Amino acid sequence: MPLPGGTLDICSLSLASAKSSVVAMTFLRSATLALAALLPLSSAVPTARADNGGWDAAHTKAATALAKLSLQDKVKMVTGEGWEKGPCVGTTAEISSIGYPQLCLQDGPLGIRFAKGITAFPAGVHAASTWDIDLINARGNALGTEAKAMGIHVQLGPVGGPLGKIPHGGRNWEGFSPDPYLTGVAMAETITGMQNAGVQACAKHYIGNEQELNRETMSSTIADRVNHELYLWPFADSVKANVASVMCSYNRLNGTHACESDLALNGLLKGELDFRGYVVSDWNAQHTTVGSAKAGMDMSMPGDNFGDNKYLWGTALTNAVSGGQVDQSRVDDMVKRILASWYYLGQDAGYPKVGWSSWNGGVGGPDVQGDHKIVARDIARDGIVLLKNENNALPLKKPASLAIIGNDAINNPNGPNACVDRGCDVGTLAMGWGSGAAEFPYLISPLDAIQKQATADGTTIVTSTTDGTSEGAAAAGKANTAIVFINADSGEGYITVEGQAGDRANLDPWHNGNGLVEAVANVNKNTIVVIHSVGPLILERILALPNVVAVVWAGLPGQESGNGLVDILYGSKSPNGKLPYTIAKQASDYGTSVKSGDDDFSEGLYIDYRHFDKAGIEPRYEFGFGLSYTTFEYSDLTTTYSDKTGGSTTTAPGGAEGLYDTVATVTAKITNSGTVEGAEVAQLYIGLPSSAPSTPVRQLRGFSKINLAAGESGTVTFSLRRKDLSYWDTDAQKWVTPTGDFTVSVGASSRNLALKGTM
Ligand code: NOJ
């Protein structure tokens, strides 16, 4: 791809161990056709963004409005009205002189919290396991469409932190993946989808909030290079995608609370990344009046210390301005940023009003679901990862009898919303707990969906819907095939579920899931295990059982859980999800854990697969792994590199403009060598030349999902940005593209790389 204003320069290409064998290649389709195959099956048509002008136009409008405001008005606009004082989880006061509404900020990242008539989408981590940018974008757009229709101005998501370096981390499932590249793409697509619908997205939690234990006091000490290459990376992509707001997190960064951190807010976010929107505190993550203002925080939420009337801004901020501790210009900058985001999204004209309240269960609000259950089902289905499938145990072919076992197969008898913010693990698990949860409008349980299919197929269903081992074994003994459902939950630390205050205590299935599978597999030689989980589990006991013929990783699928699962179990679509994290053989293999005190992030750049690669540890299922009902062959790697200029250093949202130029292109041919249609997620990993300081041997720097009929071939194209080929030089305080040979690997997972070359 030519550089802007430049010519294409093919510098070098050598294919080291290049090509895999190509079997049954019948024809090669053009890249255009391959792209067409990427379009989501959903009929939900994403909304296009209204053109309200860019950031400059928005800031100009904001400056005009600002000139009409008194200091009292300004302070009201930056200070939350207080917990449960307005209809939303956060509000600021209406300023009628400029037509500015009571601003509504509402959770959350998978659906609108505390509301009825909304869609409960698959969680972020499940969207990530589709590796499908169109579906991720469509999910964001549907989320934003619902939020706007409810009158919400700022939707509190998506989540780029926790990144998920600790597999036990309670809130990892709200975000996407411990790989910053995958999370960065997912953040950008989600934000673009949401903001195209007209709502302000809020990238959270910035930064270093990797665990729930002591989240409000602990410090994350993150080296500058590590921060740039891992934790800041998805926020840079968010700013590049023009996110309107960023939420500073509870924890300390290098000793200073994130919302009081001049380095994090003024330095990295507003300086280096040229963020044009505003920083809102996490709820009570502000600690001082003057320090937070000076550090670059722009909005205090919920304002009143969760209802005890202790406002750190409000009158205290007015007094700080009068007393000269905070410059008036800083308050003007806060207001200008808040107004600019409002104008940027076109919320100053015809925006719906909030007609419901979070505090009465959302009664009285509109039904905003539209046809979003389609994209919810598409993601529920395409995010499922098939981990094991012996002797084609799956897809099911009209079995005569089927035993459905485990409490995770059915809905909570008290309803899927029985526990506040989903803070219990009863019945099938389709989202974690906490502020990142939403009310299910309905929840299709696995048993309900399977029962429907069984009725059509004439299959006899036997059930045991507790987690009791003897009941499970009894049911399993009465059918040819047994499907056993197990799960593992986690969430936000303000709720403790079964002794776990947010973070998971271990990486085992809950409710003796290993024991349940053992009891079933002891009596049934066709045992299929379906797992709903917030993150990785240790599966060794399950995989040691010879009668476990298939393992289906069903993630956190949201309201369409059972429907998406049936699509895969019965093969109306081939499994096409891939793991967005590593599944280890033992928890200690990850090399990270929840810390009881501060965390010095001593693992550096080496988290998830980067660590397994460095330490030479064999994972059970590697990052990027996932089976299909068909097979794929990889061939014809091409690599084109062109970077003569070094790129523009002009600062723009996301950082120096040149970082985002396409400087190299990699292509590969993928052939569906099996007998059924299927979609493959081709992955590109790059290794930096030896001239770069110690760096992971390979890092994900591209992926592309391609749908192919049996026998069909297509080309996938990966565009590499300058930043993708660079490391952060701490001394020089800039991204540096090292010279020398880059290794280029393309394949089906981080450890199954059929195509290798150098560039
Ligand atoms: C605290 C959570 O950390 C954040 O994600 C959420 O948006 C706020 N509470 C508001 O509910």
Side-chain angles (χ1 to χ4, degrees):
M1 185 178 296
L3 292 173
T7 51
L8 192 65
D9 176 21
I10 301 178
C11 291
S12 67
L13 169 64
S14 79
L15 301 182
S17 65
K19 309 181 180 174
S20 70
S21 59
V22 181
V23 186
M25 190 196 77
T26 51
F27 59 95
L28 178 65
R29 299 202 317 170
S30 71
T32 320
L33 276 176
L35 269 178
L38 292 177
L39 288 175
L41 302 177
S42 166
S43 68
V45 180
T47 327
R49 192 174 125 67
D51 184 13
N52 315 301
W55 281 114
D56 287 343
H59 274 271
T60 303
K61 287 182 198 165
T64 306
L66 179 74
K68 299 179 188 151
L69 299 175
S70 65
L71 179 59
Q72 278 65 28
D73 290 337
K74 294 172 188 172
V75 166
K76 279 185 187 168
M77 288 178 65
V78 303
T79 308
E81 292 183 296
W83 184 242
E84 297 193 20
K85 302 261 169 57
C88 308
V89 299
T91 54
T92 56
E94 181 182 357
I95 308 292
S96 50
S97 60
I98 55 166
Y100 186 76
Q102 183 187 42
L103 200 74
C104 165
L105 298 90
Q106 187 73 4
D107 295 303
L110 64 67
I112 299 164
R113 187 182 180 201
F114 298 145
K116 292 204 188 310
I118 56 97
T119 304
F121 291 92
V125 72
H126 198 91
S129 66
T130 68
W131 299 62
D132 185 325
I133 58 172
D134 297 305
L135 281 180
I136 293 171
N137 186 300
R139 173 179 174 273
N141 195 250
L143 279 163
T145 301
E146 296 194 2
K148 178 175 178 179
M150 302 279 286
I152 293 161
H153 299 92
V154 188
Q155 185 164 16
L156 303 171
V159 172
L163 187 63
K165 75 155 183 156
I166 307 166
H168 308 69
R171 299 184 74 183
N172 294 353
W173 56 273
E174 294 186 42
F176 299 100
S177 163
D179 180 84
Y181 181 89
L182 178 53
T183 291
V185 171
M187 291 291 282
E189 291 296 337
T190 305
I191 289 162
T192 304
M194 288 170 73
Q195 297 198 161
N196 280 351
V199 74
Q200 300 180 38
C202 179
K204 69 185 190 182
H205 308 82
Y206 180 76
I207 188 172
N209 189 173
E210 292 293 316
Q211 63 177 56
E212 286 301 279
L213 183 65
N214 299 329
R215 68 176 179 177
E216 285 163 44
T217 51
M218 60 92 62
S219 180
S220 297
T221 300
I222 312 180
D224 188 37
R225 180 176 175 207
V226 173
N227 202 18
H228 277 82
E229 296 187 20
L230 295 182
Y231 303 96
L232 184 62
W233 182 291
F235 289 97
D237 282 328
S238 304
V239 175
K240 174 77 181 154
N242 294 309
V243 71
S245 63
V246 169
M247 184 188 290
C248 51
S249 55
Y250 283 122
N251 57 291
R252 297 170 196 261
L253 175 71
N254 304 346
T256 305
H257 273 107
C259 296
E260 314 269 332
S261 169
D262 178 64
L263 166 73
L265 307 185
N266 286 332
L268 297 173
L269 189 62
K270 293 181 174 177
E272 188 182 316
L273 298 183
D274 196 19
F275 172 55
R276 308 289 303 273
Y278 60 94
V279 177
V280 55
S281 72
D282 200 342
W283 271 230
N284 261 26
Q286 181 187 23
H287 292 267
T288 64
T289 300
V290 175
S292 55
K294 287 192 162 169
M297 203 187 95
D298 302 305
M299 186 186 280
S300 163
M301 279 294 155
D304 65 345
N305 200 29
F306 275 121
D308 74 1
N309 245 10
K310 285 193 192 138
Y311 289 85
L312 282 172
W313 281 0
T315 310
L317 182 59
T318 313
N319 293 341
V321 173
S322 317
Q325 294 104 317
V326 172
D327 285 346
Q328 167 80 46
S329 63
R330 178 69 264 273
V331 178
D332 287 353
D333 177 53
M334 296 172 192
V335 173
K336 200 159 159 268
R337 287 170 172 274
I338 293 166
L339 278 171
S341 292
W342 182 65
Y343 284 120
Y344 182 77
L345 271 301
Q347 295 183 343
D348 53 317
Y351 207 77
K353 293 213 175 336
V354 178
W356 54 282
S357 167
S358 298
W359 318 117
N360 66 1
V363 176
D367 186 320
V368 296
Q369 296 170 85
D371 65 356
H372 301 153
K373 68 164 131 189
I374 300 172
V375 68
R377 179 177 181 153
D378 288 346
I379 296 174
R381 178 194 62 225
D382 289 357
I384 290 173
V385 184
L386 182 62
L387 294 180
K388 175 176 175 155
N389 193 19
E390 301 271 288
N391 306 322
N392 300 322
L394 291 174
L396 297 171
K397 300 146 201 100
K398 301 192 184 209
S401 57
L402 205 49
I404 304 296
I405 294 153
N407 187 244
D408 186 73
I410 62 165
N411 276 338
N412 183 336
N414 296 322
N417 301 315
C419 304
V420 174
D421 278 339
R422 310 299 75 76
C424 60
D425 185 24
V426 181
T428 197
L429 183 72
M431 63 177 73
W433 76 76
S435 63
E439 307 290 305
F440 290 103
Y442 60 83
L443 173 54
I444 307 288
S445 74
L447 179 59
D448 288 347
I450 291 170
Q451 182 68 65
K452 205 167 151 199
Q453 180 71 38
T455 305
D457 291 350
T459 301
T460 304
I461 296 277
V462 190
T463 63
S464 166
T465 55
T466 68
D467 291 323
T469 49
S470 44
E471 301 93 304
K478 293 182 195 142
N480 318 117
T481 299
I483 309 185
V484 50
F485 289 83
I486 58 174
N487 71 32
D489 203 355
S490 74
E492 196 175 350
Y494 70 89
I495 301 178
T496 296
V497 177
E498 301 186 31
Q500 294 176 70
D503 304 317
R504 284 189 285 164
N506 55 54
L507 301 184
D508 295 327
W510 283 32
H511 307 157
N512 188 28
N514 284 326
L516 181 61
V517 175
E518 275 162 3
V520 170
N522 279 343
V523 297
N524 190 304
K525 60 182 186 341
N526 284 316
T527 298
I528 294 166
V529 182
V530 176
I531 303 166
H532 289 117
S533 178
V534 288
L537 287 182
I538 304 306
L539 299 173
E540 299 305 294
R541 274 177 63 186
I542 290 170
L543 295 169
L545 302 166
N547 287 342
V548 170
V549 291
V551 178
V552 178
W553 194 258
L556 284 184
Q559 68 185 36
E560 286 286 326
S561 173
N563 288 335
L565 182 67
V566 159
D567 290 343
I568 296 296
L569 289 180
Y570 287 85
S572 64
K573 193 163 182 199
S574 287
N576 55 86
K578 302 248 181 167
L579 288 176
Y581 42 67
T582 300
I583 293 185
K585 293 180 181 170
Q586 51 185 349
S588 57
D589 284 352
Y590 289 97
T592 52
S593 56
V594 173
K595 297 279 160 62
S596 54
D598 294 340
D599 188 347
D600 62 6
F601 285 52
S602 58
E603 70 288 336
L605 296 171
Y606 301 95
I607 64 170
D608 200 75
Y609 68 88
R610 290 162 168 82
H611 162 69
F612 285 77
D613 288 345
K614 180 167 192 249
I617 298 170
E618 193 67 33
R620 173 51 65 191
Y621 294 113
E622 71 272 17
F623 176 84
F625 177 85
L627 300 172
S628 168
Y629 296 148
T630 189
T631 51
F632 298 97
E633 300 285 346
Y634 283 67
S635 65
D636 295 9
L637 180 67
T638 76
T639 311
T640 312
Y641 179 75
S642 167
D643 184 9
K644 286 179 177 169
T645 62
S648 161
T649 53
T650 304
T651 307
E657 267 174 355
L659 293 173
Y660 298 91
D661 295 339
T662 296
V663 297
T665 304
V666 173
T667 69
K669 188 163 88 180
I670 317 291
T671 301
N672 180 343
S673 52
T675 53
V676 293
E677 183 179 346
E680 170 70 332
V681 179
Q683 299 157 45
L684 166 68
Y685 294 84
I686 296 287
L688 296 187
S690 52
S691 64
S694 169
T695 301
V697 57
R698 68 182 74 87
Q699 309 195 74
L700 183 75
R701 287 295 186 255
F703 59 89
S704 180
K705 194 164 197 175
I706 181 167
N707 194 71
L708 296 166
E712 189 181 11
S713 297
T715 300
V716 288
T717 302
F718 309 99
S719 297
L720 287 154
R721 306 165 299 180
R722 187 172 280 106
K723 188 176 170 184
D724 298 329
L725 297 175
S726 304
Y727 67 90
W728 178 256
D729 184 329
T730 301
D731 293 336
Q733 284 293 293
K734 63 175 189 184
W735 292 94
V736 172
T737 311
T739 52
D741 285 346
F742 291 78
T743 63
V744 177
S745 312
V746 174
S749 78
S750 61
R751 294 225 166 175
N752 181 7
L753 295 162
L755 306 180
K756 289 195 173 137
T758 58
M759 178 170 73

